[in-house]
């Protein structure tokens, strides 16, 4: 299943990179607007209806499967072109992503700025062919590298736009290619071991069959020599009752037969034949591996450094900074300034602290409240608690009072409590 999924993705990506239009209709890939150079190379004009199972093959479809003509054409075309593709990950707007992840309770985003820098992933797509006996297996393997190290990356999760050379600087492709080849060796090693094990078992059976066959023939020669030698011994006995003239004729024939066997050296010939068949079977049961680089793709994605200002009627311009990684589709968490928990719901206290719901404390006077960092101040007159912005210090006695228990002092230059105001 994984190999089929990789084949589908490779085929779709190939035609996308050519600039063609690709549409999936269930298990059929419809390809339109294929460039003329590929149409001429393949020998057929688009659109193409591509299927990936022989059971779905029809008169108006093209099969993409092991050994299929179109797959070979794609491989040869890529080998001929030796193309390098540049793709940019289509990233979500970090501002909209933030709004989906965090509820702004008593404030809103006043301004939002983002700076972007790019990270690069290099994908090398290899076609490895395993050829043995009458079998031919082909396997397409993409290897991804980032910062010189191989990584796991599923590009099916993303949408891409055509990249621009001026966006990024690409270097070290040769070094990355060497690292990709080493990683490829690791990935195909289990399959090599599995095929080698099968071939070793089959070769062992063939060697055993050949050995048994030639052993029987050598045994036949030995029996023939033994029989002739025995007959000669009987004829040469003094007490033999066979006529001496007949015995002489028979001994002559036996001698000629033994001489012929010796001159023909049949056992040596059989040994040579056996060794030849051994070598032939060893060669037949060998594994040939051919690996070709089909495509190099430079994939780059943005990492946004975002700065936003929050405001409400009490606080204007509270700055917050976070990062958005388009590859992981993640935001660095915004933390409660009181308890350090990751925020999914954000509140600004009247002093401008960003806090979670648990650390937000309601004020008796305003809707913005305080937080655990700020705490409350108690009114000297009514003994009720208020946030910092809802309490004022008397200009004469310097005690804290709520807004309702202070009045403008003489000349309205300062506030004084009701007790001190009566003495003015």
């Amino acid at each position: 299943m994984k190999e089929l999924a990789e084949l589908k993705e490779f085929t779709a990506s190939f035609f996308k990179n050519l600039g063609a239009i690709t549409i999936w209709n269930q298990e059929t890939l419809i390809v339109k607007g294929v460039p003329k150079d590929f149409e001429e190379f393949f020998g057929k004009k688009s659109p193409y209806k591509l299927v990936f199972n022989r059971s779905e093959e029809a008169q108006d479809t093209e099969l993409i499967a092991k050994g299929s003509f179109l797959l070979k054409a794609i491989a040869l075309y890529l080998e001929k072109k030796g193309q390098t593709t540049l793709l940019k990950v289509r990233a979500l707007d970090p501002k909209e992503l933030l709004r989906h992840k965090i509820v702004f309770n008593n404030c809103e985003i006043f301004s939002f700025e983002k700076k972007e820098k790019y990270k690069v992933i290099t994908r090398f797509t290899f076609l490895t062919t395993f050829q043995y006996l009458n079998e031919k297996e082909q396997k397409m393997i993409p290897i991804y590298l980032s910062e010189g190290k191989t990584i796991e990356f599923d590009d099916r999760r993303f949408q891409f736009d055509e990249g621009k050379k001026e966006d990024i600087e690409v270097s070290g492709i040769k070094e990355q290619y060497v690292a990709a080849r080493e990683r490829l060796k690791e990935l195909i090693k289990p399959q090599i071991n599995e095929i080698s094990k099968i071939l070793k078992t089959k070769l062992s059976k063939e060697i055993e069959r050949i050995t048994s066959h030639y052993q029987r023939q050598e045994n036949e020669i030995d029996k023939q020599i033994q029989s002739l030698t025995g007959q000669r011994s009987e004829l040469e006995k003094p007490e033999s009752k066979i006529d001496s003239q007949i015995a002489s004729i028979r001994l002559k024939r036996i001698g000629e037969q033994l001489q012929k066997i010796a001159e023909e050296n049949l056992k040596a010939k059989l040994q040579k034949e056996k060794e030849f068949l051994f070598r032939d079977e060893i060669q037949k049961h060998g594994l040939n591996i051919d690996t070709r680089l089909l495509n190099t793709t430079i994939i780059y994605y943005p990492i946004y450094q975002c700065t936003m200002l929050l405001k409400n009627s009490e606080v204007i311009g509270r700055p917050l900074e976070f990062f958005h990684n388009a590859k992981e589709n993640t935001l660095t968490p915004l933390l409660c300034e009181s308890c350090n928990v990751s925020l999914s719901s954000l509140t600004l206290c009247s002093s401008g602290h960003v806090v979670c719901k648990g650390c937000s404390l309601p004020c008796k006077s305003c809707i913005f409240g305080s937080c655990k960092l700020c705490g409350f101040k108690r009114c000297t007159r009514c003994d009720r608690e208020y946030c910092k912005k809802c309490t004022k210090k008397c200009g004469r006695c310097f005690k804290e009072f709520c807004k309702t228990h202070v009045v403008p002092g003489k000349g309205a230059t300062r506030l004084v409590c009701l007790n001190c105001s009566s003495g003015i």
Side-chain angles (χ1 to χ4, degrees):
M1 291 296 292
K2 184 180 178 182
E3 188 173 348
L4 180 60
E6 289 175 353
L7 186 59
K8 288 180 178 179
E9 177 59 26
F10 170 78
T11 306
S13 298
F14 168 76
F15 284 108
K16 280 182 184 177
N17 294 337
L18 285 183
I21 300 168
T22 58
I23 303 167
W24 282 101
N25 182 9
Q26 294 181 345
E27 294 298 311
T28 301
L29 179 62
I30 300 170
V31 184
K32 301 178 181 178
V34 176
K36 286 186 177 180
D37 66 331
F38 183 80
E39 288 182 334
E40 292 174 358
F41 185 84
F42 180 45
K44 184 178 179 180
K45 291 186 176 181
S46 58
Y48 306 139
K49 291 175 68 176
L50 308 181
V51 296
F52 298 83
N53 289 308
R54 294 188 185 277
S55 59
E56 298 172 358
E57 192 174 7
Q59 189 172 358
D60 62 339
T61 64
E62 296 288 340
L63 177 66
I64 298 287
K66 184 174 68 174
S68 65
F69 180 72
L70 181 53
L71 186 60
K72 289 179 180 178
I74 291 174
L76 289 172
Y77 180 84
L78 286 174
E79 185 180 354
K80 180 181 177 183
K81 290 289 182 180
Q83 71 177 40
T84 298
T85 308
L86 197 61
L87 296 177
K88 180 181 179 181
V89 172
R90 190 178 299 169
L92 297 174
D93 180 6
K95 185 177 180 181
E96 291 302 315
L97 187 60
L98 182 71
R99 282 176 169 163
H100 279 90
K101 287 184 174 293
I102 296 182
V103 176
F104 294 86
N105 292 316
N106 64 345
C107 58
E108 63 182 6
I109 297 174
F110 174 57
S111 71
F112 191 93
E113 294 182 357
K114 62 182 180 182
K115 298 177 182 179
E116 62 183 21
K117 62 179 181 178
Y118 294 108
K119 290 280 189 178
V120 175
I121 295 173
T122 308
R123 180 182 70 195
F124 297 95
T125 303
F126 295 97
L127 177 66
T128 299
T129 303
F130 303 90
Q131 193 159 5
Y132 56 96
L133 297 178
N134 294 321
E135 295 291 330
K136 185 177 182 181
E137 295 182 24
Q138 290 183 311
K139 192 175 183 67
M140 278 182 293
I141 303 175
I143 306 292
Y144 299 88
L145 290 98
S146 177
E147 297 178 346
K149 297 180 180 179
T150 57
I151 61 168
E152 296 295 326
F153 182 70
D154 186 0
D155 51 23
R156 292 171 295 183
R157 295 168 42 221
F158 302 94
Q159 291 183 310
F160 297 96
D161 296 315
E162 187 176 351
K164 298 177 182 178
K165 290 182 179 179
E166 56 268 25
D167 284 346
I168 57 172
E169 290 184 9
V170 180
S171 60
I173 294 294
K174 289 183 178 179
E175 292 80 1
Q176 292 185 70
Y177 172 76
V178 172
R181 288 281 302 203
E182 291 303 312
R183 177 58 179 158
L184 180 66
K185 290 178 184 177
E186 294 175 10
L187 292 176
I188 65 175
K189 188 175 181 180
Q191 188 166 1
I192 292 173
N193 291 340
E194 184 180 347
I195 295 172
S196 298
K197 187 177 179 180
I198 293 170
L199 291 174
K200 185 177 180 180
T201 301
K202 289 186 175 181
L203 176 61
S204 178
K205 289 181 179 179
E206 287 302 310
I207 294 296
E208 186 179 345
R209 181 187 62 81
I210 293 169
T211 301
S212 177
H213 171 74
Y214 280 93
Q215 186 62 54
R216 285 194 300 270
Q217 292 197 51
E218 288 178 9
N219 290 341
E220 288 296 325
I221 294 172
D222 288 338
K223 285 180 181 179
Q224 186 180 6
I225 294 172
Q226 187 178 0
S227 175
L228 291 172
T229 304
Q231 292 176 38
R232 183 174 60 184
S233 298
E234 288 295 325
L235 291 171
E236 289 176 343
K237 287 181 180 180
E239 64 272 17
S240 174
K241 297 179 181 181
I242 300 174
D243 182 77
S244 61
Q245 188 174 1
I246 294 173
S248 176
I249 294 171
R250 287 182 180 179
L251 285 171
K252 183 179 179 183
R253 288 177 181 174
I254 290 171
E256 289 173 351
Q257 286 178 297
L258 289 172
Q259 185 178 359
K260 183 180 180 182
I261 291 172
E263 289 175 351
E264 289 181 350
N265 201 4
L266 293 179
K267 292 183 75 171
K269 288 182 179 179
L270 289 176
Q271 184 64 29
K272 286 184 179 180
E273 285 182 17
K274 183 171 69 172
E275 290 174 356
F276 172 80
L277 291 177
F278 281 172
R279 290 193 296 270
D280 186 51
E281 289 299 329
I282 290 170
Q283 186 175 2
K284 285 180 182 178
H285 287 78
L287 173 61
N288 294 319
I289 302 171
D290 178 58
T291 295
R292 299 181 185 182
L293 177 64
L294 294 183
N295 177 260
T296 303
T297 303
I298 308 299
I299 300 170
Y300 64 99
Y301 61 93
I303 294 180
Y304 296 107
Q305 180 181 356
C306 305
T307 304
M308 65 178 175
L309 300 179
L310 302 179
K311 72 169 186 175
N312 57 29
S313 59
E314 291 290 316
V315 180
I316 298 179
R318 169 60 208 265
L320 284 178
E321 185 176 276
F322 64 93
F323 291 86
H324 173 223
N325 185 321
K327 172 177 170 283
E328 305 298 336
N329 197 25
T330 56
L331 302 174
T332 51
L334 298 179
L335 302 178
C336 172
E337 293 182 287
S338 176
C339 68
N340 213 38
V341 70
S342 180
L343 293 171
S344 59
S345 176
L346 182 153
T347 301
L348 274 184
C349 82
S350 58
S351 298
H353 291 124
V354 175
V355 293
C356 66
K357 187 176 180 180
C359 294
S360 177
L361 305 175
C363 176
K364 302 294 185 183
S365 177
C366 71
I367 62 172
F368 302 104
S370 185
C371 72
K372 291 183 177 179
L373 286 173
C374 300
F376 287 111
K377 292 186 176 181
R378 190 177 296 276
C379 175
T380 305
R381 187 176 183 90
C382 65
D383 202 36
R384 300 175 76 181
E385 292 183 332
Y386 298 90
C387 69
K388 288 181 179 180
K389 289 197 174 184
C390 289
T391 59
K392 302 296 179 182
K393 187 175 286 189
C394 174
R396 295 191 71 185
C397 69
F398 303 107
K399 294 178 181 179
E400 296 287 344
F401 294 88
C402 65
K403 289 181 180 180
T404 58
H405 293 136
V406 291
V407 294
K410 189 176 180 179
T413 56
R414 58 183 177 175
L415 295 173
V416 294
C417 67
L418 296 179
N419 291 337
C420 292
S421 67
S422 59
I424 296 176

